[in-house]
Amino acid sequence: MHDVAALKSGLSSPAPSLGRSRFVLDMRQSLPTWKQALFLGSSLAVGLAISLAILSVAGISPIQLAFELAGVFNTTSLRGVLFQAAPMMLVGLAASLAFRVGFWNLGLEGQMLLGGIFAEGVSIYEIGPPETRLVVMGIAAALGGALWCLLGGVLKMRFRVNEIIATLLLNYIAKYFLFHLLYGAWQDPNTAYPQSAPLRPFERLFDLGFGVNGALLTAIGAVAVAAWLVHLSRVGFYMRIISANPSMAKVLGVPIRAITLWIVVISGACAGLAGFVNVASQEGRLTDSYADGYLFSGVLIAFLSRNDPLVVAIVGFLVAVLFITGQTLQVFYQIPFTMVQLIEAIIVMSVASSEFFIRHRIRWLRQEAA
Amino acid sequence: MISFLTNWLADAPGTAVPYALGALGLIISERSGVLNLTAEGLMLVGALAGIGSYLELGGHPAVALVVAMISASVVSLLFAGLVVVLRVNQVIAGLSMVFFCQGLTGLVGTITHWQNKRIAGLTPMAIWPFSDIPVIGKIFFMQDAVVYLTVVIYVIVNWWLFSTMMGLRIRSVGESPAAADAAGISVSLHRVLAIVIGSSLIGLAGAYISVVGVKLWVTGMTGGRGWIAVALVVFARWAPWPALGGAFLFGCIEAVIPHIAAEGIRVPQYLVMMTPYLATIAVMIWVGATQNIGTSEPGALGQPHVREERR
């Protein structure tokens, strides 16, 4: 007669009764915001704790780290952070816009490289008068990044190539193209390093003081445009339908292909601009490493900001702090810069794990053996 | 011309091994329904673990390769936990793993000072009398032990996946986890198993690059080979033997690069180094054009399984 009890318990939970106690996952219908924030916050805390532990093993005690972090916020370093925030926001925008239409743009570094190369090309071939040179460089950079990203988009839509693989491989191709230029025609004849000659003074992004510079203004402008696009424009509305339910979008007559392609182009343009601001402000010339470490930073920023352009600006700033701290640790403690990637990966993993606890409730199902 | 061809093709099996083993490891994991992008990272783990154990444990190549396999398996448990237990989006988890491994190997390689230390590694062995056959002998019978081992591994994995009960269970879990679950097969267990076993082969692929190929450790030395292996799985349509053929093709493409320079043909060096990536994209375009002809893509690839979820 135990079957009746089993049947009753079977009515309340969809799990079949196997006559042994076990964990069961219940799908939550909803969860209060504060509980979601609690899960998110605690998983983030776990991720940071693991990062701290790894840093201690590598020889950086939490006290030293706190000291270095505090050092980041003095005036000179803060300037560096604000410089760094610009490319971060731009790659974050590039990633989040593409992710919004379900396009895994993992070619951010390659698009940055193309952006930098196009901008440098404008400088080398002296296109346009000096007064408008910077503008032309910026437009060229956006164009370069957009074309490189569009290549991935066309490969996906026209040739059905998985964009994850396509965009990632395009990074390597762009890198070798950069090497081809920097060890060849574009190398500064005065050095043995793989770098171009310095940009002319009017080709450098201006600095208004207090760390506010042309790079940051470019990034903030891009954030504003992206926020308008996502939150206020019709395209943004379409993007939400496409990401929520592609087949529904198709039935409703949303121009999926056109919108996806345009977003791919805009995403690439943002990444291209990130390359431009790095070349025209931080580096002041084309170098071989100005895009290193930005791919996963972009993914991280998009992931943490849930693809919201306004949040991208804030998270981009925080990741810039992480970047600058990483550079400090590299210079003063010989910790390799890949440490930054390690911490970024741990943060993404821990935050992604919190989704599980937000979406499911784990229950211990007690059952008597028959 | 003949000597150019033999020299070139004699290098091809060696350059093909990382692709072959990496793709096979990925196929095992993806046949269980787990979309696996971790190869680039786990190859680095294998490469570093191989060099590290070679330097620290007295310089036995076999020990180095085994340690590399175990290390990659252990690290892959993290990936298994994320995608099988916590049902994290498999693309996000895979990408995070790659950058996690890049960061970790960069850090460990630096603080242990294993960076840039040249080792003796593994030398080719001739299989007499076949090695004395002109042309063919040099290409197929004067390779290192891992090249022969790779073929053996392919035979074993092929038998394991397609002729044993456990292979059937792993494939059923990848094809339809709900049906497999109803039949009493533990989806989670078999997926974890497939990830761990597959990852050991990816680790071996990485160790082959460092211990047998380059014979030293440099940060980020796999240079995109893991991603090419991911593409190779799609190219082979999740079947082992075509993956071996594809790996040999890519081995030929990569092996020709140094020989062009050695022949004194003047070509832009860095543009030539793009060829493996361009070839991968070309192959992917070909796959896209002929999609769904005889594909064995697992039905539930990339989908986490939650028994209680309503569908």
Side-chain angles (χ1 to χ4, degrees):
Chain A
M1 287 304 111
H2 60 273
D3 299 37
V4 181
L7 197 65
K8 273 185 182 163
S9 77
L11 284 177
S12 60
S13 89
S17 80
L18 292 178
R20 62 188 166 88
S21 304
R22 64 189 189 279
F23 285 110
V24 195
L25 294 179
D26 287 343
M27 305 299 289
R28 292 187 205 268
Q29 296 303 315
S30 64
L31 191 67
T33 315
W34 69 269
K35 269 194 179 172
Q36 289 194 25
L38 188 71
F39 280 125
L40 194 71
S42 38
S43 62
L44 201 58
V46 170
L48 289 176
I50 296 172
S51 306
L52 278 181
I54 292 177
L55 270 173
S56 327
V57 173
I60 310 284
S61 71
I63 298 157
Q64 281 170 315
L65 185 70
F67 181 72
E68 293 300 338
L69 262 177
V72 166
F73 289 98
N74 69 31
T75 339
T76 33
S77 293
L78 196 60
R79 252 176 59 97
V81 170
L82 288 175
F83 264 105
Q84 187 62 62
M88 282 303 168
M89 288 179 192
L90 286 166
V91 288
L93 283 182
S96 60
L97 285 174
F99 294 172
R100 263 185 181 263
V101 290
F103 185 84
W104 286 99
N105 181 4
L106 302 180
L108 299 171
E109 285 182 5
Q111 291 147 24
M112 278 182 77
L113 293 177
L114 259 284
I117 290 170
F118 270 50
E120 178 73 26
V122 168
S123 158
I124 283 179
Y125 296 109
E126 302 190 46
I127 299 166
E131 295 80 34
T132 55
R133 179 69 54 79
L134 258 179
V135 180
V136 178
M137 282 169 69
I139 293 171
L143 198 69
L147 283 175
W148 207 240
C149 193
L150 183 65
L151 197 53
V154 169
L155 280 172
K156 177 182 185 179
M157 286 179 203
R158 176 70 185 78
F159 297 101
R160 294 193 285 186
V161 175
N162 183 312
E163 80 273 23
I164 296 176
I165 299 172
T167 52
L168 269 164
L169 292 173
L170 286 172
N171 286 337
Y172 291 95
I173 294 171
K175 187 93 184 182
Y176 282 120
F177 183 56
L178 178 76
F179 284 172
H180 174 69
L181 293 172
L182 289 183
Y183 287 99
W186 286 14
Q187 188 173 24
D188 183 357
N190 300 319
T191 69
Y193 299 111
Q195 55 187 29
S196 72
L199 293 171
R200 300 173 191 84
F202 57 85
E203 290 164 348
R204 303 284 304 265
L205 279 167
F206 45 86
D207 194 349
L208 298 175
F210 311 112
V212 179
N213 53 55
L216 195 62
L217 293 182
T218 310
I220 289 173
V223 167
V225 172
W228 170 79
L229 192 71
V230 166
H231 292 301
L232 300 176
S233 77
R234 182 185 305 195
V235 173
F237 182 64
Y238 282 158
M239 281 158 76
R240 248 166 291 158
I241 303 179
I242 293 173
S243 69
N245 192 339
S247 44
M248 173 74 103
K250 197 173 178 183
V251 172
L252 288 175
V254 174
I256 300 180
R257 285 178 72 90
I259 285 191
T260 311
L261 268 185
W262 273 110
I263 294 301
V264 162
V265 166
I266 295 169
S267 164
C270 286
L273 279 177
F276 162 65
V277 300
N278 264 8
V279 167
S281 74
Q282 279 192 343
E283 309 275 357
R285 57 177 16 141
L286 203 62
T287 64
D288 64 340
S289 59
Y290 65 91
D292 287 1
Y294 283 91
L295 166 55
F296 199 64
S297 302
V299 175
L300 168 81
I301 295 168
F303 184 69
L304 292 188
S305 64
R306 300 201 170 185
N307 301 338
D308 186 329
L310 295 171
V311 188
V312 162
I314 301 162
V315 181
F317 179 80
L318 293 176
V319 176
V321 173
L322 180 68
F323 237 61
I324 296 290
T325 315
Q327 283 169 359
T328 315
L329 293 183
Q330 187 183 22
V331 173
F332 294 110
Y333 299 90
Q334 280 77 49
I335 300 291
F337 191 66
T338 48
M339 185 74 208
V340 171
Q341 280 192 353
L342 184 61
I343 293 176
E344 285 180 342
I346 291 172
I347 291 174
V348 170
M349 286 176 184
S350 52
V351 171
S353 306
S354 76
E355 293 273 299
F356 174 74
F357 298 100
I358 290 173
R359 302 240 308 265
H360 306 95
R361 183 172 54 217
I362 307 166
R363 198 158 50 83
W364 177 245
L365 186 72
R366 184 180 288 280
Q367 273 176 353
E368 302 299 320
Chain B
M1 190 61 204
I2 272 290
S3 80
F4 171 77
L5 274 178
T6 29
N7 285 339
W8 163 33
L9 290 177
D11 279 356
T15 36
V17 162
Y19 296 127
L21 290 173
L24 187 64
L26 291 174
I27 286 174
I28 295 174
S29 149
E30 298 206 348
R31 274 298 179 110
S32 80
V34 177
L35 178 66
N36 197 332
L37 299 178
T38 60
E40 179 73 8
L42 289 176
M43 275 189 184
L44 282 172
V45 171
L48 178 67
I51 289 287
S53 52
Y54 190 96
L55 289 171
E56 304 295 331
L57 300 177
H60 304 293
V63 175
L65 295 178
V66 171
V67 171
M69 289 174 80
I70 296 171
S71 314
S73 293
V74 169
V75 175
S76 78
L77 281 174
L78 176 62
F79 178 65
L82 285 172
V83 298
V84 177
V85 180
L86 295 177
R87 276 86 168 174
V88 171
N89 178 315
Q90 295 178 0
V91 176
I92 283 284
L95 279 178
S96 310
M97 280 300 292
V98 170
F99 290 92
F100 176 84
C101 295
Q102 282 185 356
L104 189 70
T105 52
L107 187 68
V108 173
T110 309
I111 55 180
T112 52
H113 302 290
W114 291 339
Q115 181 108 334
N116 289 328
K117 285 204 177 136
R118 193 155 277 282
I119 60 166
L122 199 62
T123 44
M125 53 191 253
I127 299 189
W128 191 84
F130 304 108
S131 53
D132 285 348
I133 306 170
V135 186
I136 307 273
K138 196 172 177 192
I139 297 173
F140 290 109
F141 300 104
M142 282 191 52
Q143 300 294 340
D144 53 74
V146 185
V147 173
Y148 308 125
L149 184 67
T150 301
V151 180
V152 176
I153 289 175
Y154 261 78
V155 173
I156 293 174
V157 168
N158 213 56
W159 167 79
W160 177 65
L161 264 184
F162 298 101
S163 306
T164 65
M165 204 58 202
M166 188 185 269
L168 180 65
R169 288 193 184 121
I170 283 178
R171 285 183 295 128
S172 73
V173 155
E175 206 58 55
S176 173
D181 195 11
I185 298 167
S186 168
V187 177
S188 303
L189 181 71
H190 284 89
R191 284 191 168 172
V192 171
L193 209 65
I195 291 172
V196 169
I197 292 174
S199 299
S200 70
L201 294 183
I202 300 171
L204 181 61
Y208 184 85
I209 298 173
S210 66
V211 176
V212 186
V214 188
K215 296 185 169 57
L216 55 82
W217 162 257
V218 194
T219 305
M221 66 184 298
T222 50
R225 285 189 183 84
W227 298 118
I228 295 181
V230 172
L232 208 51
V233 174
V234 183
F235 165 72
R237 299 192 166 97
W238 292 269
W241 292 116
L244 187 61
F248 188 72
L249 177 72
F250 278 94
C252 290
I253 292 170
E254 200 188 307
V256 79
I257 297 173
H259 287 288
I260 288 178
E263 286 289 300
I265 306 165
R266 287 192 58 83
V267 279
Q269 175 193 1
Y270 292 104
L271 298 189
V272 172
M273 285 163 89
M274 291 177 183
T275 27
Y277 311 102
L278 287 171
T280 312
I281 291 180
V283 160
M284 295 296 282
I285 291 174
W286 177 79
V287 171
T290 57
Q291 227 173 20
N292 294 329
I293 302 171
T295 183
S296 23
E297 177 174 359
L301 187 63
Q303 294 166 14
H305 174 61
V306 183
R307 180 190 285 169
E308 291 81 3
E309 196 170 22
R310 267 181 228 149
R311 243 171 251 101

